[in-house]
Amino acid sequence: VWDQQPPEEVWRREVGLGWGSFAVVGPVAITQEQRGDDECVVCYDVATGEPRWVHRSPERFASVLGGDGPRATPTIHDQSVYAISGSGRLACIDVASGEPRWQVDTLADNGGSIAHHGVCGSPLVVDDLVIVMPTGRAEASLVAYDRVSGERRWQAGRWKASYSSPMLVDIRGQRQILAFTSEGLEAHAVEDGALLWSHPFTNDQSTVCAQPVLVPDTDRQIVLGLGYGRGSTLIEVSQADDG
């Protein structure tokens, strides 16, 4: 079809350094960029490409192998933008004005430390929680904050976080949050972060950046993929306990 009716470029705009994508809702597209010494959350008009607002924070995450700039993609929910920086600063921003509502340094707040490629996982909003994966501390590799106030609600984890994003699934009739960590897959309860079960699967670098895939038309089979020559595996959850 494109041979006969090729797409036409509507607009083009230069943006700052960054490794995430865009979150789009209605007339706006929001992403994260590095602009000089500031890490920015930027809102663009979808129709014109013109910026509507820029939220700046004086920080710059730099990596020799991975490049500079923020890693994650923002999450939009209920007139708020949730964005986490390469250094782990989680911010809640008004989607219309760009004004900050609250922010927290998730590494300092949870006794974590920066991983080699920074904090890459995007925030996950579930009910009244915003859930992130701070790096550096196994007992707080999955953390939930109140999405309105920014108050920490719970910490959880068995293994240190790597570079993937938390993911909400329904397994065997139970809502669970999957966290693909540096050592394998963990499943946690939404309400309090309790560990339901875990499955070890990693590579010799403990570098995990892929998302788990719930097999369509099942509620218990999950595909996990890894780089560094490890390949993929299919697991089936038999019961919701730690094993």
Side-chain angles (χ1 to χ4, degrees):
V1 176
W2 280 8
D3 291 339
Q4 291 77 39
Q5 295 179 319
E8 296 182 10
E9 183 176 295
V10 177
W11 53 261
R12 180 188 294 257
R13 173 172 290 276
E14 184 176 346
V15 299
L17 297 173
W19 301 93
S21 187
F22 285 83
V24 180
V25 60
V28 299
I30 301 175
T31 190
Q32 293 172 249
E33 307 172 13
Q34 192 71 47
R35 296 188 175 186
D37 292 329
D38 293 335
E39 188 166 321
C40 303
V41 182
V42 186
C43 177
Y44 292 96
D45 186 282
V46 170
T48 66
E50 293 296 320
R52 292 193 173 195
W53 52 256
V54 179
H55 170 74
R56 295 179 176 271
S57 179
E59 60 181 298
R60 184 184 183 106
F61 180 80
S63 170
V64 174
L65 291 178
D68 297 1
R71 274 66 178 125
T73 299
T75 300
I76 303 173
H77 179 81
D78 193 24
Q79 302 305 308
S80 293
V81 181
Y82 299 92
I84 192 162
S85 73
S87 302
R89 179 188 50 81
L90 176 64
C92 175
I93 304 165
D94 182 85
V95 73
S97 67
E99 291 297 317
R101 291 175 171 164
W102 55 261
Q103 60 183 9
V104 60
D105 182 337
T106 64
L107 299 187
D109 190 48
N110 295 283
S113 58
I114 198 69
H116 184 74
H117 294 293
V119 177
C120 303
S122 296
L124 170 68
V125 175
V126 182
D127 302 332
D128 61 347
L129 304 174
V130 54
I131 300 165
V132 292
M133 293 180 67
T135 56
R137 181 171 171 238
E139 298 82 6
S141 60
L142 190 71
V143 180
Y145 291 91
D146 187 288
R147 66 178 179 84
V148 176
S149 70
E151 179 182 357
R152 175 156 44 85
R153 298 276 290 272
W154 52 253
Q155 298 170 321
R158 175 177 181 177
W159 297 311
K160 291 182 180 180
S162 192
Y163 306 114
S164 62
S165 302
M167 176 177 171
L168 179 67
V169 296
D170 189 303
I171 295 179
R172 303 179 69 92
Q174 180 181 11
R175 290 198 311 167
Q176 304 177 22
I177 300 168
L178 297 184
F180 201 2
T181 73
S182 61
E183 301 301 322
L185 185 66
E186 298 179 1
H188 296 266
V190 173
E191 295 76 14
D192 58 6
L195 183 66
L196 303 175
W197 55 268
S198 60
H199 178 79
F201 185 63
T202 190
N203 49 46
D204 59 6
Q205 303 291 318
S206 295
T207 297
V208 177
C209 56
Q211 290 299 115
V213 177
L214 189 65
V215 176
D217 300 322
T218 80
D219 65 352
R220 62 198 67 188
Q221 291 185 341
I222 303 168
V223 177
L224 304 175
L226 289 173
Y228 296 92
R230 186 63 198 274
S232 302
T233 188
L234 172 68
I235 65 173
E236 181 166 306
V237 182
S238 58
Q239 55 186 7
D241 61 4
D242 182 21

